[in-house]
Amino acid sequence: DVAVTGCVAAVAATGSIVTGGAAGRGGALIAPVHVCLVERRRLFDGLLDVLRALPAIGVGSALSFQSGPSRTADIEKTLILGMHGPKAVHVVVVEGDADS
């Protein structure tokens, strides 16, 4: 029911998390509730700051930027949240290494 993961980076301005690399992207998309642990050193002010830092982080190009539940509406304009991923995402900023 709940997935707890780390992330490659997080964007403070949008509340987005960046998943991928060795941790993969699937864990953040399967459970209805996702709790993401973000190391303070991986928290960036804006998207451009994350993009500039990616070569130094060394995670490759298979990344996923997630900014909350997916939204979709059918022809009848019925809004559904979390159709393709979790319905709720909680981000917890931690000091030090989230793996320890």
Side-chain angles (χ1 to χ4, degrees):
D1 292 339
V2 177
V4 179
T5 70
C7 67
V8 171
V11 183
T14 61
S16 303
I17 58 171
V18 184
T19 58
R25 297 173 294 173
L29 300 173
I30 295 171
V33 177
H34 176 209
V35 177
C36 183
L37 303 178
V38 179
E39 298 170 30
R40 184 171 300 283
R41 68 185 176 92
R42 293 183 180 268
L43 181 61
F44 295 87
D45 290 335
L47 179 59
L48 188 55
D49 298 313
V50 171
L51 295 175
R52 286 182 177 144
L54 286 177
I57 294 172
V59 293
S61 61
L63 300 173
S64 178
F65 287 74
Q66 300 164 359
S67 297
S70 66
R71 301 173 150 252
T72 188
D74 61 14
I75 295 172
E76 296 176 11
K77 308 234 190 283
T78 303
L79 181 64
I80 300 172
L81 294 177
M83 183 68 169
H84 308 287
K87 292 183 177 163
V89 177
H90 304 278
V91 176
V92 180
V93 179
V94 297
E95 293 292 337
D97 188 354
D99 293 331
S100 55

